[in-house]
Amino acid sequence: MQFDDDADLDTSEVQDVRGSRIPGGRATVGGGIVGIIALILGLLFGVGPDQLGLSSGCPDTSPTASTAAQVEQTCRTGRDANTRDDCRIVAVVNSVQDYWKQEFQRRRGTYTPARTVLFSDRIGTACGSATSAVGPFYCPGDRQVYLDLGFFDELRTEFGSSGGPFAQAYVVAHEYGHHVQDLMGTLGRSQDGRTGANSNSVRVELQADCYAGVWAHHATTTPDESTGRPLVTSLTQADIREGLDAAAAVGDDRIQEKFQGRVTPESWTHGSAAQRRQWFTTGFRSGDMAHCDTFR
């Protein structure tokens, strides 16, 4: 996966609060069995702390100004995105949002941008306080994506993903799939409390995988607003395999087999490894969000 070296990155779409402290300093996520449960569920992608029942209810959900807001100073161009993980996240966020803005316009709709917040250790959100153990998640309460970059190491070392730049891009694109669902009014269908292979929770997650594939289909042809050229200049079959591998690594069946030694489909919330691969592939091959109806 390569980016246009000369493209300017829009760091306003990413807030870097790594190294900051959360007002109140208290979060109920993490540590002991609670932390293990949060890790297993959170690493399935897209689960906010409120959905896990692990919110501290802290009324002050705004992070303090970061002493390590690196992206604003260091992530200037596509060349930076080709050499640094945090800058790569900025570039992926830019590309994903460029695509969805143009797609919504094509459909005579309005896309409202969502910011990604890079944090370390713990963070306060409109969905409650969370630690890094929750994994990447989208919070509909403030319409922001939250991500600790250390997750990508865990994806590789704990869950057996091959990793790589496009595995990271897949994670980000999946979370923005939830934002698209939020804007379209479908995200709430996962809030009925039901689990299982055919539950709305699983269908919502698989649709977000499909939306990630739709973006990937268009990534090398979506023009960047600042240059008129695509920000993503190269996306190979090897990159796509990285994304599929990451999707499979966090299938419900893979997670359950690894952490509880058995597969229990009645408790699935995100779908099997095969389903996640299938729906990402559906989006990637079709390039059409109309093909992502996982509720039919």
Side-chain angles (χ1 to χ4, degrees), residues 60-92:
D60 190 344
T61 59
S62 299
T64 60
S66 173
T67 58
Q70 301 174 40
V71 296
E72 187 174 350
Q73 287 78 35
T74 59
C75 301
R76 302 294 182 87
T77 67
R79 182 175 288 104
D80 299 321
N82 286 324
T83 57
R84 291 176 57 104
D85 284 352
D86 50 2
C87 299
R88 181 181 301 116
I89 298 304
V90 175
V92 171

PDB file of all heavy atoms in Angstrom, residues 60-92:
ATOM      1  N   ASP A  60     -17.130  13.970  32.549  1.00  0.00           N
ATOM      2  CA  ASP A  60     -16.181  14.736  31.759  1.00  0.00           C
ATOM      3  C   ASP A  60     -15.504  13.798  30.790  1.00  0.00           C
ATOM      4  O   ASP A  60     -14.640  13.021  31.167  1.00  0.00           O
ATOM      5  CB  ASP A  60     -15.146  15.398  32.677  1.00  0.00           C
ATOM      6  CG  ASP A  60     -14.280  16.399  31.930  1.00  0.00           C
ATOM      7  OD1 ASP A  60     -14.278  16.360  30.685  1.00  0.00           O
ATOM      8  OD2 ASP A  60     -13.637  17.220  32.598  1.00  0.00           O
ATOM      9  N   THR A  61     -15.885  13.844  29.522  1.00  0.00           N
ATOM     10  CA  THR A  61     -15.386  12.874  28.554  1.00  0.00           C
ATOM     11  C   THR A  61     -14.386  13.468  27.587  1.00  0.00           C
ATOM     12  O   THR A  61     -14.047  12.859  26.580  1.00  0.00           O
ATOM     13  CB  THR A  61     -16.559  12.286  27.747  1.00  0.00           C
ATOM     14  OG1 THR A  61     -17.236  13.338  27.071  1.00  0.00           O
ATOM     15  CG2 THR A  61     -17.531  11.556  28.658  1.00  0.00           C
ATOM     16  N   SER A  62     -13.897  14.664  27.842  1.00  0.00           N
ATOM     17  CA  SER A  62     -12.966  15.301  26.922  1.00  0.00           C
ATOM     18  C   SER A  62     -11.533  15.087  27.382  1.00  0.00           C
ATOM     19  O   SER A  62     -11.194  15.386  28.530  1.00  0.00           O
ATOM     20  CB  SER A  62     -13.237  16.814  26.841  1.00  0.00           C
ATOM     21  OG  SER A  62     -14.541  17.051  26.376  1.00  0.00           O
ATOM     22  N   PRO A  63     -10.651  14.580  26.513  1.00  0.00           N
ATOM     23  CA  PRO A  63      -9.253  14.420  26.891  1.00  0.00           C
ATOM     24  C   PRO A  63      -8.564  15.771  27.008  1.00  0.00           C
ATOM     25  O   PRO A  63      -8.950  16.734  26.356  1.00  0.00           O
ATOM     26  CB  PRO A  63      -8.657  13.611  25.728  1.00  0.00           C
ATOM     27  CG  PRO A  63      -9.550  13.909  24.571  1.00  0.00           C
ATOM     28  CD  PRO A  63     -10.915  14.129  25.147  1.00  0.00           C
ATOM     29  N   THR A  64      -7.568  15.838  27.857  1.00  0.00           N
ATOM     30  CA  THR A  64      -6.802  17.063  27.990  1.00  0.00           C
ATOM     31  C   THR A  64      -5.903  17.234  26.781  1.00  0.00           C
ATOM     32  O   THR A  64      -5.702  16.316  25.994  1.00  0.00           O
ATOM     33  CB  THR A  64      -5.915  17.009  29.250  1.00  0.00           C
ATOM     34  OG1 THR A  64      -5.028  15.893  29.136  1.00  0.00           O
ATOM     35  CG2 THR A  64      -6.758  16.853  30.498  1.00  0.00           C
ATOM     36  N   ALA A  65      -5.342  18.430  26.623  1.00  0.00           N
ATOM     37  CA  ALA A  65      -4.410  18.677  25.523  1.00  0.00           C
ATOM     38  C   ALA A  65      -3.210  17.753  25.656  1.00  0.00           C
ATOM     39  O   ALA A  65      -2.693  17.535  26.725  1.00  0.00           O
ATOM     40  CB  ALA A  65      -3.960  20.130  25.548  1.00  0.00           C
ATOM     41  N   SER A  66      -2.813  17.176  24.552  1.00  0.00           N
ATOM     42  CA  SER A  66      -1.743  16.197  24.581  1.00  0.00           C
ATOM     43  C   SER A  66      -0.376  16.864  24.593  1.00  0.00           C
ATOM     44  O   SER A  66      -0.161  17.891  23.981  1.00  0.00           O
ATOM     45  CB  SER A  66      -1.853  15.290  23.358  1.00  0.00           C
ATOM     46  OG  SER A  66      -0.744  14.436  23.291  1.00  0.00           O
ATOM     47  N   THR A  67       0.528  16.238  25.312  1.00  0.00           N
ATOM     48  CA  THR A  67       1.919  16.686  25.275  1.00  0.00           C
ATOM     49  C   THR A  67       2.673  15.953  24.173  1.00  0.00           C
ATOM     50  O   THR A  67       3.852  16.182  23.980  1.00  0.00           O
ATOM     51  CB  THR A  67       2.606  16.409  26.634  1.00  0.00           C
ATOM     52  OG1 THR A  67       2.520  14.992  26.908  1.00  0.00           O
ATOM     53  CG2 THR A  67       1.920  17.176  27.752  1.00  0.00           C
ATOM     54  N   ALA A  68       1.986  15.056  23.487  1.00  0.00           N
ATOM     55  CA  ALA A  68       2.648  14.264  22.445  1.00  0.00           C
ATOM     56  C   ALA A  68       1.834  14.260  21.166  1.00  0.00           C
ATOM     57  O   ALA A  68       1.679  13.246  20.514  1.00  0.00           O
ATOM     58  CB  ALA A  68       2.857  12.835  22.946  1.00  0.00           C
ATOM     59  N   ALA A  69       1.261  15.407  20.822  1.00  0.00           N
ATOM     60  CA  ALA A  69       0.450  15.509  19.610  1.00  0.00           C
ATOM     61  C   ALA A  69       1.371  15.515  18.396  1.00  0.00           C
ATOM     62  O   ALA A  69       1.661  16.544  17.803  1.00  0.00           O
ATOM     63  CB  ALA A  69      -0.396  16.773  19.656  1.00  0.00           C
ATOM     64  N   GLN A  70       1.827  14.322  18.029  1.00  0.00           N
ATOM     65  CA  GLN A  70       2.872  14.215  17.020  1.00  0.00           C
ATOM     66  C   GLN A  70       2.371  14.413  15.602  1.00  0.00           C
ATOM     67  O   GLN A  70       3.091  14.941  14.754  1.00  0.00           O
ATOM     68  CB  GLN A  70       3.541  12.842  17.123  1.00  0.00           C
ATOM     69  CG  GLN A  70       4.172  12.568  18.484  1.00  0.00           C
ATOM     70  CD  GLN A  70       4.695  11.149  18.568  1.00  0.00           C
ATOM     71  OE1 GLN A  70       5.263  10.621  17.623  1.00  0.00           O
ATOM     72  NE2 GLN A  70       4.486  10.520  19.704  1.00  0.00           N
ATOM     73  N   VAL A  71       1.142  13.965  15.320  1.00  0.00           N
ATOM     74  CA  VAL A  71       0.730  13.934  13.922  1.00  0.00           C
ATOM     75  C   VAL A  71       0.681  15.320  13.290  1.00  0.00           C
ATOM     76  O   VAL A  71       0.988  15.476  12.111  1.00  0.00           O
ATOM     77  CB  VAL A  71      -0.637  13.220  13.760  1.00  0.00           C
ATOM     78  CG1 VAL A  71      -0.532  11.760  14.165  1.00  0.00           C
ATOM     79  CG2 VAL A  71      -1.732  13.920  14.525  1.00  0.00           C
ATOM     80  N   GLU A  72       0.305  16.306  14.061  1.00  0.00           N
ATOM     81  CA  GLU A  72       0.202  17.654  13.491  1.00  0.00           C
ATOM     82  C   GLU A  72       1.549  18.170  13.022  1.00  0.00           C
ATOM     83  O   GLU A  72       1.644  18.886  12.027  1.00  0.00           O
ATOM     84  CB  GLU A  72      -0.406  18.614  14.514  1.00  0.00           C
ATOM     85  CG  GLU A  72      -0.718  19.995  13.958  1.00  0.00           C
ATOM     86  CD  GLU A  72      -1.440  20.871  14.945  1.00  0.00           C
ATOM     87  OE1 GLU A  72      -1.869  20.360  15.999  1.00  0.00           O
ATOM     88  OE2 GLU A  72      -1.559  22.084  14.680  1.00  0.00           O
ATOM     89  N   GLN A  73       2.617  17.808  13.754  1.00  0.00           N
ATOM     90  CA  GLN A  73       3.950  18.276  13.395  1.00  0.00           C
ATOM     91  C   GLN A  73       4.650  17.384  12.388  1.00  0.00           C
ATOM     92  O   GLN A  73       5.444  17.855  11.566  1.00  0.00           O
ATOM     93  CB  GLN A  73       4.831  18.386  14.656  1.00  0.00           C
ATOM     94  CG  GLN A  73       4.512  19.547  15.571  1.00  0.00           C
ATOM     95  CD  GLN A  73       3.296  19.281  16.436  1.00  0.00           C
ATOM     96  OE1 GLN A  73       3.076  18.147  16.851  1.00  0.00           O
ATOM     97  NE2 GLN A  73       2.510  20.315  16.712  1.00  0.00           N
ATOM     98  N   THR A  74       4.389  16.078  12.448  1.00  0.00           N
ATOM     99  CA  THR A  74       5.208  15.144  11.672  1.00  0.00           C
ATOM    100  C   THR A  74       4.503  14.550  10.455  1.00  0.00           C
ATOM    101  O   THR A  74       5.179  14.021   9.566  1.00  0.00           O
ATOM    102  CB  THR A  74       5.688  13.978  12.556  1.00  0.00           C
ATOM    103  OG1 THR A  74       4.551  13.293  13.094  1.00  0.00           O
ATOM    104  CG2 THR A  74       6.553  14.490  13.698  1.00  0.00           C
ATOM    105  N   CYS A  75       3.199  14.624  10.415  1.00  0.00           N
ATOM    106  CA  CYS A  75       2.459  13.994   9.312  1.00  0.00           C
ATOM    107  C   CYS A  75       1.996  15.066   8.337  1.00  0.00           C
ATOM    108  O   CYS A  75       0.847  15.518   8.381  1.00  0.00           O
ATOM    109  CB  CYS A  75       1.279  13.193   9.852  1.00  0.00           C
ATOM    110  SG  CYS A  75       1.762  11.882  11.004  1.00  0.00           S
ATOM    111  N   ARG A  76       2.871  15.442   7.452  1.00  0.00           N
ATOM    112  CA  ARG A  76       2.585  16.536   6.526  1.00  0.00           C
ATOM    113  C   ARG A  76       2.197  16.044   5.131  1.00  0.00           C
ATOM    114  O   ARG A  76       1.325  16.622   4.496  1.00  0.00           O
ATOM    115  CB  ARG A  76       3.809  17.456   6.422  1.00  0.00           C
ATOM    116  CG  ARG A  76       4.265  18.053   7.751  1.00  0.00           C
ATOM    117  CD  ARG A  76       3.227  18.995   8.321  1.00  0.00           C
ATOM    118  NE  ARG A  76       3.645  19.618   9.564  1.00  0.00           N
ATOM    119  CZ  ARG A  76       4.349  20.738   9.647  1.00  0.00           C
ATOM    120  NH1 ARG A  76       4.735  21.355   8.539  1.00  0.00           N
ATOM    121  NH2 ARG A  76       4.672  21.235  10.824  1.00  0.00           N
ATOM    122  N   THR A  77       2.861  15.003   4.659  1.00  0.00           N
ATOM    123  CA  THR A  77       2.675  14.581   3.269  1.00  0.00           C
ATOM    124  C   THR A  77       2.490  13.062   3.171  1.00  0.00           C
ATOM    125  O   THR A  77       2.715  12.330   4.141  1.00  0.00           O
ATOM    126  CB  THR A  77       3.885  14.968   2.400  1.00  0.00           C
ATOM    127  OG1 THR A  77       5.024  14.194   2.816  1.00  0.00           O
ATOM    128  CG2 THR A  77       4.189  16.458   2.520  1.00  0.00           C
ATOM    129  N   GLY A  78       2.135  12.619   1.973  1.00  0.00           N
ATOM    130  CA  GLY A  78       2.034  11.194   1.721  1.00  0.00           C
ATOM    131  C   GLY A  78       3.346  10.471   1.948  1.00  0.00           C
ATOM    132  O   GLY A  78       3.350   9.289   2.296  1.00  0.00           O
ATOM    133  N   ARG A  79       4.449  11.171   1.749  1.00  0.00           N
ATOM    134  CA  ARG A  79       5.756  10.560   2.006  1.00  0.00           C
ATOM    135  C   ARG A  79       5.870  10.152   3.468  1.00  0.00           C
ATOM    136  O   ARG A  79       6.416   9.079   3.790  1.00  0.00           O
ATOM    137  CB  ARG A  79       6.874  11.532   1.627  1.00  0.00           C
ATOM    138  CG  ARG A  79       8.284  10.960   1.808  1.00  0.00           C
ATOM    139  CD  ARG A  79       9.344  11.924   1.312  1.00  0.00           C
ATOM    140  NE  ARG A  79       9.360  12.009  -0.155  1.00  0.00           N
ATOM    141  CZ  ARG A  79       8.849  13.028  -0.854  1.00  0.00           C
ATOM    142  NH1 ARG A  79       8.283  14.061  -0.225  1.00  0.00           N
ATOM    143  NH2 ARG A  79       8.904  13.021  -2.167  1.00  0.00           N
ATOM    144  N   ASP A  80       5.349  10.986   4.371  1.00  0.00           N
ATOM    145  CA  ASP A  80       5.349  10.638   5.800  1.00  0.00           C
ATOM    146  C   ASP A  80       4.483   9.412   6.051  1.00  0.00           C
ATOM    147  O   ASP A  80       4.818   8.552   6.881  1.00  0.00           O
ATOM    148  CB  ASP A  80       4.840  11.815   6.635  1.00  0.00           C
ATOM    149  CG  ASP A  80       5.697  13.060   6.486  1.00  0.00           C
ATOM    150  OD1 ASP A  80       6.937  12.922   6.426  1.00  0.00           O
ATOM    151  OD2 ASP A  80       5.122  14.168   6.414  1.00  0.00           O
ATOM    152  N   ALA A  81       3.348   9.323   5.352  1.00  0.00           N
ATOM    153  CA  ALA A  81       2.443   8.186   5.518  1.00  0.00           C
ATOM    154  C   ALA A  81       3.076   6.884   5.048  1.00  0.00           C
ATOM    155  O   ALA A  81       2.716   5.800   5.521  1.00  0.00           O
ATOM    156  CB  ALA A  81       1.145   8.427   4.755  1.00  0.00           C
ATOM    157  N   ASN A  82       4.029   6.978   4.137  1.00  0.00           N
ATOM    158  CA  ASN A  82       4.706   5.778   3.642  1.00  0.00           C
ATOM    159  C   ASN A  82       5.803   5.293   4.576  1.00  0.00           C
ATOM    160  O   ASN A  82       6.371   4.217   4.357  1.00  0.00           O
ATOM    161  CB  ASN A  82       5.305   6.046   2.254  1.00  0.00           C
ATOM    162  CG  ASN A  82       4.249   6.087   1.171  1.00  0.00           C
ATOM    163  OD1 ASN A  82       3.271   5.343   1.211  1.00  0.00           O
ATOM    164  ND2 ASN A  82       4.431   6.972   0.193  1.00  0.00           N
ATOM    165  N   THR A  83       6.088   6.070   5.627  1.00  0.00           N
ATOM    166  CA  THR A  83       7.192   5.701   6.520  1.00  0.00           C
ATOM    167  C   THR A  83       6.809   5.594   7.988  1.00  0.00           C
ATOM    168  O   THR A  83       7.550   5.002   8.769  1.00  0.00           O
ATOM    169  CB  THR A  83       8.339   6.725   6.407  1.00  0.00           C
ATOM    170  OG1 THR A  83       7.848   8.038   6.714  1.00  0.00           O
ATOM    171  CG2 THR A  83       8.922   6.724   4.997  1.00  0.00           C
ATOM    172  N   ARG A  84       5.648   6.161   8.391  1.00  0.00           N
ATOM    173  CA  ARG A  84       5.259   6.164   9.806  1.00  0.00           C
ATOM    174  C   ARG A  84       3.843   5.604   9.967  1.00  0.00           C
ATOM    175  O   ARG A  84       2.940   5.945   9.203  1.00  0.00           O
ATOM    176  CB  ARG A  84       5.274   7.586  10.385  1.00  0.00           C
ATOM    177  CG  ARG A  84       6.656   8.210  10.540  1.00  0.00           C
ATOM    178  CD  ARG A  84       6.499   9.644  11.039  1.00  0.00           C
ATOM    179  NE  ARG A  84       5.750   9.707  12.297  1.00  0.00           N
ATOM    180  CZ  ARG A  84       6.313   9.921  13.483  1.00  0.00           C
ATOM    181  NH1 ARG A  84       7.606  10.091  13.572  1.00  0.00           N
ATOM    182  NH2 ARG A  84       5.575   9.977  14.569  1.00  0.00           N
ATOM    183  N   ASP A  85       3.658   4.772  11.011  1.00  0.00           N
ATOM    184  CA  ASP A  85       2.344   4.187  11.253  1.00  0.00           C
ATOM    185  C   ASP A  85       1.286   5.241  11.560  1.00  0.00           C
ATOM    186  O   ASP A  85       0.160   5.169  11.054  1.00  0.00           O
ATOM    187  CB  ASP A  85       2.413   3.189  12.410  1.00  0.00           C
ATOM    188  CG  ASP A  85       3.053   1.877  12.015  1.00  0.00           C
ATOM    189  OD1 ASP A  85       3.318   1.670  10.814  1.00  0.00           O
ATOM    190  OD2 ASP A  85       3.289   1.039  12.920  1.00  0.00           O
ATOM    191  N   ASP A  86       1.623   6.211  12.419  1.00  0.00           N
ATOM    192  CA  ASP A  86       0.609   7.198  12.788  1.00  0.00           C
ATOM    193  C   ASP A  86       0.232   8.067  11.592  1.00  0.00           C
ATOM    194  O   ASP A  86      -0.944   8.401  11.394  1.00  0.00           O
ATOM    195  CB  ASP A  86       1.047   8.051  13.978  1.00  0.00           C
ATOM    196  CG  ASP A  86       2.431   8.655  13.835  1.00  0.00           C
ATOM    197  OD1 ASP A  86       3.100   8.466  12.787  1.00  0.00           O
ATOM    198  OD2 ASP A  86       2.872   9.343  14.788  1.00  0.00           O
ATOM    199  N   CYS A  87       1.200   8.393  10.759  1.00  0.00           N
ATOM    200  CA  CYS A  87       0.900   9.176   9.554  1.00  0.00           C
ATOM    201  C   CYS A  87       0.107   8.349   8.552  1.00  0.00           C
ATOM    202  O   CYS A  87      -0.735   8.894   7.817  1.00  0.00           O
ATOM    203  CB  CYS A  87       2.184   9.681   8.910  1.00  0.00           C
ATOM    204  SG  CYS A  87       3.169  10.765   9.971  1.00  0.00           S
ATOM    205  N   ARG A  88       0.357   7.037   8.542  1.00  0.00           N
ATOM    206  CA  ARG A  88      -0.426   6.171   7.662  1.00  0.00           C
ATOM    207  C   ARG A  88      -1.897   6.199   8.061  1.00  0.00           C
ATOM    208  O   ARG A  88      -2.796   6.230   7.208  1.00  0.00           O
ATOM    209  CB  ARG A  88       0.093   4.737   7.706  1.00  0.00           C
ATOM    210  CG  ARG A  88      -0.669   3.788   6.772  1.00  0.00           C
ATOM    211  CD  ARG A  88      -0.141   2.371   6.853  1.00  0.00           C
ATOM    212  NE  ARG A  88       1.264   2.308   6.501  1.00  0.00           N
ATOM    213  CZ  ARG A  88       2.228   1.946   7.331  1.00  0.00           C
ATOM    214  NH1 ARG A  88       1.928   1.605   8.575  1.00  0.00           N
ATOM    215  NH2 ARG A  88       3.486   1.931   6.930  1.00  0.00           N
ATOM    216  N   ILE A  89      -2.163   6.217   9.359  1.00  0.00           N
ATOM    217  CA  ILE A  89      -3.548   6.293   9.830  1.00  0.00           C
ATOM    218  C   ILE A  89      -4.184   7.590   9.360  1.00  0.00           C
ATOM    219  O   ILE A  89      -5.341   7.605   8.912  1.00  0.00           O
ATOM    220  CB  ILE A  89      -3.610   6.182  11.360  1.00  0.00           C
ATOM    221  CG1 ILE A  89      -3.061   4.833  11.830  1.00  0.00           C
ATOM    222  CG2 ILE A  89      -5.046   6.365  11.845  1.00  0.00           C
ATOM    223  CD1 ILE A  89      -3.726   3.626  11.216  1.00  0.00           C
ATOM    224  N   VAL A  90      -3.457   8.696   9.441  1.00  0.00           N
ATOM    225  CA  VAL A  90      -3.981   9.980   8.960  1.00  0.00           C
ATOM    226  C   VAL A  90      -4.352   9.861   7.480  1.00  0.00           C
ATOM    227  O   VAL A  90      -5.435  10.287   7.057  1.00  0.00           O
ATOM    228  CB  VAL A  90      -2.959  11.106   9.166  1.00  0.00           C
ATOM    229  CG1 VAL A  90      -3.471  12.413   8.545  1.00  0.00           C
ATOM    230  CG2 VAL A  90      -2.669  11.315  10.647  1.00  0.00           C
ATOM    231  N   ALA A  91      -3.456   9.282   6.685  1.00  0.00           N
ATOM    232  CA  ALA A  91      -3.693   9.174   5.245  1.00  0.00           C
ATOM    233  C   ALA A  91      -4.889   8.276   4.948  1.00  0.00           C
ATOM    234  O   ALA A  91      -5.708   8.581   4.066  1.00  0.00           O
ATOM    235  CB  ALA A  91      -2.443   8.637   4.544  1.00  0.00           C
ATOM    236  N   VAL A  92      -5.017   7.172   5.674  1.00  0.00           N
ATOM    237  CA  VAL A  92      -6.152   6.277   5.456  1.00  0.00           C
ATOM    238  C   VAL A  92      -7.451   6.984   5.819  1.00  0.00           C
ATOM    239  O   VAL A  92      -8.448   6.904   5.085  1.00  0.00           O
ATOM    240  CB  VAL A  92      -5.995   4.977   6.262  1.00  0.00           C
ATOM    241  CG1 VAL A  92      -7.278   4.150   6.199  1.00  0.00           C
ATOM    242  CG2 VAL A  92      -4.824   4.153   5.721  1.00  0.00           C
TER     243      VAL A  92
END
